[in-house]
Amino acid sequence: MSSSVTTAEGVVTLDQRRQRGLWGDAWRRLLRSSSGRIGLGITIFLVLIAIFIPLLMPYNPATDRNFPRRLLKPSWLLSEDVREQKNIDLLEHPFGTDDLGRDIFRRVLHGTPISLTAGLFTVSMAVVFGSLLGLIAGYLGGWFDTVASWVMDILLAFPSILLAIAIVSASNSPTAFTSRLGNAVSSLPVLRTIFDPQLFNAMLAVAIVEIPIFGRIARSTVIAVRHQEYVTAATALGVSGPRTLFRHILPNSLAPMLVQATLSIATAIISVAALSFLGLGAQRPRPEWGRMLADARQYLLQGSWWYITFPGLAIMLTVLGINLLGDGLRDALDPRLKSKD
Amino acid sequence: MLRYTIRRLLGLIPVIFGISLVVFLLLRIIPGDITITILGERASPQQRAQLRQQLGLDRPLFLNLENPDELFDTQYVDFMGDLLRLDLGDSLLHRRPVLTELRERFPATVELTVTALFIAILLGVPLGIVAAIKRGSFTDASALIVALLGVSIPIFWLGLMFQYLFAINWRILPISTRLDPDLARGFQNITGLYTIDGLLRGRPEVTLNALKHLIMPAFVLSTVPLAIIARMTRSSMLEVLGQDYIRTARAKGLHGRIVIVRHALRNALLPVVTVIGLQAGLLLSGAILTETVFSWPGIGTWLLDAILGRDYPIVQGGVIFVALIFVIVNLLVDLSYAFLDPRIHYT
């Protein structure tokens, strides 16, 4: 929309004015901070890999086998004799090969969409359910608030990984509802290349564990603004409860939600990888980073350091990038810093 | 203060009740049919019915409405009754009392997590202080990098890398477990902490060997808390150093070190103590992964094996125990503020 208004300084389009709002300011501050820039850069780079790798470099983990090239060092570290003998180019296997002779570089690349989707999906679920629960609890108050806060306290009383493990193992039972849900989701066209039912359950578990974090943010926002005049005014004007909640109250929690969601994506990626590492997430031969580490662990004693090194570095780079972005966002959106500007 | 403590203790009751309810329900409702998971899908209906009866799963869950004379003859009431009597039942797989196993396993986790927390504090606090004092220096930059890497490295991966480097490549540290098998054989525990028991029994070689096994997993486990503590110390210290009374102290001509130690540090460490307390949950979560990587016979591996092996009595007792520890540590952290910060008054 590009309507314009006339002010003392002349005609100003509303679009220009809007850019000076909270989000415009935040965006500029994000780009000015070095952690924000680096984090954004790493994240965009990984998102591009996640989008384009499946298109440019189709990969079928089920048929990828090459036993003669089993457990080879990164090809640039192999001696020329070995490379000639096995007919390998200098950069053919930059990260080496695994126990089935698969190219680790290729598998690490194809792990990117899996982990990014897992992080994003997990946190989206936690945000939706958590903020709904928190908003309603804070708005309604009374017994609903008491029960909802009680449930959130209880979920927070378990160490996160332990709760996630318990939920996954319960939901992996063949008769459980979540198993059927996982089967259904992982047979959908695009998602099939990303999830298997167990990985889906792991994501669900991590999402449940993160619900109270967002529930608390939403609830505290509602309680903080519920009695402010503009909310009373909205109610007095006859605005319905749900509309007040979503149009007038919810926007207040967007900034802290966004920061927490970004940082939670990083945690969720580690948690899902950890569950896969424990055998409770992605299954073989899916190129999920945590799963690859679980496989690699069996060849550790044989000294195949490259097999454990690169999937782990991939997790670290991803989490680092997203954490930096989250830090940058927090600084950019923190109103206390804004006044110092 | 006493009233606040009592109120907080009473506030724990609904949470503990909720924890027991979650564990009870998680094992009975969500998994669908437990008997299929235990016996496999090929078990006959009779076998399954028999197992259900054996486990008492054919009884009503909460209230026996069909027979009002025995209204409370239900699974949940029995479950809570056993729990209150500290009767956690017997493990399905090992056929031993869950409480006995818990007692054997718990010291291993305590030894690991407490050592990790010590490492995190001993390295994290000084790192944060130096970074704040020499803001913008090389130390500051490296502290920030440590803080960032610490929260971004998956600790199970770091564990594997350490195992490769220190145990396989350089062969300077043992790869896993708590003690060499020939030392562990015949060694009588007292506290269950090998590092201490070795000294108590007058066998320093046991203590030394236990330390060698402990250092790698403890360091791995310490990375996340180390990062968080260093970061918190730095920012808290920076805030305090910018206060007027610090300038006053300097203006009085006090020695720089005295200003830092006596004026700044005491105030700056308060939020750090909070953060240290909050690490308990992270350490317990991290312990599950660290123990798995290093085959450390603690609560983490015990629970993980029980969950994977569907050993329900262990899962019930163990999960409730861990959650309880977690809740109590959090309470102690909250209460400690009042002692540390005279400005806080609880009513």
Side-chain angles (χ1 to χ4, degrees):
Chain A
M1 225 170 71
S2 64
S3 52
S4 56
V5 290
T6 311
T7 64
E9 294 95 295
V11 180
V12 179
T13 68
L14 283 179
D15 282 351
Q16 280 170 352
R17 288 171 38 139
R18 205 176 295 131
Q19 274 177 8
R20 267 183 253 129
L22 168 73
W23 301 102
D25 272 0
W27 176 249
R28 267 182 295 153
R29 269 200 300 270
L30 179 68
L31 291 183
R32 233 184 293 145
S33 79
S34 52
S35 67
R37 270 204 310 271
I38 299 172
L40 197 64
I42 295 178
T43 311
I44 291 175
F45 171 68
L46 291 168
V47 169
L48 289 178
I49 290 182
I51 294 173
F52 289 107
I53 278 298
L55 300 173
L56 299 178
M57 207 195 234
Y59 176 68
N60 183 351
T63 55
D64 182 15
R65 293 278 117 115
N66 191 351
F67 290 107
R69 290 191 180 176
R70 204 169 169 271
L71 290 176
L72 289 178
K73 269 188 216 176
S75 47
W76 42 275
L77 288 173
L78 289 170
S79 69
E80 217 161 307
D81 297 345
V82 177
R83 272 194 287 117
E84 224 157 86
Q85 187 200 332
K86 302 212 173 196
N87 197 14
I88 298 173
D89 281 344
L90 184 65
L91 290 176
E92 195 169 340
H93 300 300
F95 293 176
T97 63
D98 68 8
D99 51 311
L100 296 177
R102 297 174 292 197
D103 181 31
I104 293 176
F105 178 64
R106 179 183 275 249
R107 285 176 63 78
V108 166
L109 284 182
H110 282 276
T112 320
I114 299 178
S115 284
L116 286 188
T117 320
L120 202 64
F121 179 85
T122 307
V123 172
S124 312
M125 285 207 298
V127 167
V128 170
F129 289 108
S131 53
L132 263 182
L133 192 67
L135 282 177
I136 299 175
Y139 190 70
L140 291 183
W143 67 268
F144 187 86
D145 186 27
T146 313
V147 172
S149 304
W150 179 61
V151 171
M152 290 194 273
D153 279 350
I154 291 163
L155 286 179
L156 286 172
F158 294 96
S160 53
I161 275 282
L162 180 63
L163 186 59
I165 292 171
I167 296 173
V168 181
S169 75
S171 53
N172 275 343
S173 156
T175 46
F177 156 73
T178 44
S179 266
R180 274 173 269 150
L181 187 67
N183 280 326
V185 171
S186 51
S187 55
L188 295 172
V190 182
L191 296 180
R192 190 167 41 206
T193 59
I194 297 178
F195 302 145
D196 46 51
Q198 285 225 45
L199 178 60
F200 180 77
N201 282 342
M203 286 156 44
L204 215 58
V206 176
I208 294 175
V209 172
E210 295 204 337
I211 282 178
I213 301 174
F214 296 97
R216 286 201 163 171
I217 296 178
R219 182 174 172 272
S220 63
T221 312
V222 181
I223 289 175
V225 302
R226 189 173 44 177
H227 295 301
Q228 286 195 5
E229 277 154 7
Y230 73 92
V231 176
T232 318
T235 316
L237 283 170
V239 178
S240 69
R243 196 180 155 83
T244 313
L245 202 52
F246 289 104
R247 292 295 294 273
H248 299 277
I249 296 179
L250 180 64
N252 288 293
S253 65
L254 283 185
M257 282 274 191
L258 185 67
V259 173
Q260 184 56 52
T262 312
L263 295 172
S264 283
I265 289 177
T267 328
I269 288 176
I270 291 197
S271 301
V272 171
L275 287 174
S276 296
F277 174 71
L278 295 174
L280 291 164
Q283 301 298 303
R284 297 189 91 163
R286 197 165 295 276
E288 199 274 343
W289 296 330
R291 177 73 239 180
M292 289 170 75
L293 285 175
D295 295 339
R297 190 183 173 202
Q298 294 160 17
Y299 299 92
L300 194 62
L301 280 174
Q302 299 179 18
S304 3
W305 55 267
W306 57 92
Y307 196 177
I308 52 164
T309 304
F310 295 104
L313 276 179
I315 303 178
M316 192 175 87
L317 180 73
T318 310
V319 173
L320 188 72
I322 298 175
N323 269 333
L324 278 169
L325 181 62
D327 281 354
L329 276 176
R330 178 166 44 204
D331 294 346
L333 287 168
D334 193 336
R336 278 179 303 171
L337 285 173
K338 197 176 173 183
S339 58
K340 283 184 202 159
D341 251 18
Chain B
M1 185 63 208
L2 186 69
R3 274 178 63 191
Y4 175 74
T5 311
I6 292 172
R7 215 181 65 211
R8 285 297 309 266
L9 279 173
L10 290 178
L12 279 188
I13 294 172
V15 173
I16 292 170
F17 167 72
I19 290 168
S20 71
L21 197 64
V22 166
V23 172
F24 176 79
L25 287 179
L26 206 59
L27 292 183
R28 279 171 181 79
I29 289 183
I30 304 175
D33 197 341
I34 274 188
T35 57
I36 293 184
T37 22
I38 294 178
L39 294 172
E41 293 197 45
R42 276 190 229 146
S44 70
Q46 289 92 332
Q47 282 173 312
R48 278 163 46 194
Q50 202 185 347
L51 182 69
R52 289 183 75 79
Q53 203 183 357
Q54 241 173 37
L55 297 173
L57 295 173
D58 51 343
R59 298 165 53 213
L61 280 179
F62 293 101
L63 287 175
N64 191 353
L65 296 173
E66 286 173 18
N67 186 357
D69 292 338
E70 290 165 2
L71 191 64
F72 295 110
D73 181 23
T74 58
Q75 293 187 45
Y76 185 67
V77 174
D78 279 7
F79 168 77
M80 284 307 283
D82 287 347
L83 209 58
L84 291 175
R85 270 180 276 121
L86 287 184
D87 177 5
L88 301 180
D90 287 354
S91 149
L92 293 177
L93 296 175
H94 318 141
R95 310 257 166 216
R96 299 172 65 214
V98 172
L99 201 61
T100 312
E101 296 205 339
L102 184 64
R103 280 207 199 102
E104 289 167 7
R105 294 288 191 137
F106 189 51
T109 301
V110 170
E111 193 167 46
L112 178 62
T113 46
V114 170
T115 313
L117 193 57
F118 263 117
I119 296 177
I121 296 171
L122 284 179
L123 296 180
V125 172
L127 192 64
I129 294 173
V130 176
I133 296 173
K134 301 188 172 176
R135 193 178 186 186
S137 69
F138 175 74
T139 319
D140 189 20
S142 32
L144 284 175
I145 290 172
V146 165
L148 198 63
L149 284 183
V151 290
S152 303
I153 291 181
I155 57 169
F156 51 99
W157 176 62
L158 188 66
L160 293 175
M161 294 301 281
F162 274 22
Q163 280 184 327
Y164 173 75
L165 289 175
F166 295 102
I168 296 171
N169 200 31
W170 297 325
R171 295 171 187 276
I172 45 177
L173 287 172
I175 191 160
S176 63
T177 69
R178 297 180 70 194
L179 212 57
D180 285 350
D182 50 317
L183 283 174
R185 212 172 298 125
F187 183 75
Q188 286 289 315
N189 265 322
I190 303 170
T191 59
L193 309 170
Y194 280 126
T195 44
I196 293 174
D197 288 352
L199 294 176
L200 290 179
R201 292 256 179 237
R203 292 181 58 185
E205 78 277 11
V206 170
T207 299
L208 205 66
N209 190 266
L211 279 175
K212 268 184 154 180
H213 281 82
L214 183 58
I215 185 72
M216 203 159 52
F219 188 79
V220 167
L221 184 55
S222 78
T223 47
V224 179
L226 169 71
I228 297 175
I229 290 172
R231 193 177 173 155
M232 191 67 212
T233 311
R234 177 181 179 272
S235 64
S236 159
M237 196 69 185
L238 277 178
E239 202 175 316
V240 170
L241 285 177
Q243 302 279 323
D244 289 343
Y245 66 84
I246 298 292
R247 198 162 0 122
T248 312
R250 288 226 168 96
K252 278 197 310 192
L254 281 182
H255 194 276
R257 193 171 295 157
I258 292 179
V259 176
I260 301 256
V261 173
R262 215 179 276 165
H263 294 75
L265 206 53
R266 281 177 72 175
N267 290 300
L269 285 186
L270 196 66
V272 178
V273 172
T274 316
V275 165
I276 290 173
L278 292 176
Q279 303 312 308
L282 274 179
L283 282 170
L284 282 172
S285 274
I288 295 177
L289 291 165
T290 314
E291 286 182 5
T292 305
V293 171
F294 291 96
S295 314
W296 192 262
I299 297 274
T301 41
W302 182 59
L303 271 179
L304 184 67
D305 288 347
I307 289 174
L308 296 180
R310 312 246 167 216
D311 196 333
Y312 291 102
I314 293 186
V315 178
Q316 267 175 14
V319 171
I320 290 176
F321 177 77
V322 170
L324 213 60
I325 297 265
F326 190 35
V327 170
I328 291 172
V329 170
N330 281 339
L331 175 73
L332 291 178
V333 173
D334 278 1
L335 292 180
S336 70
Y337 302 159
F339 289 108
L340 292 169
D341 190 344
R343 285 169 304 181
I344 298 177
H345 287 288
Y346 294 107
T347 44

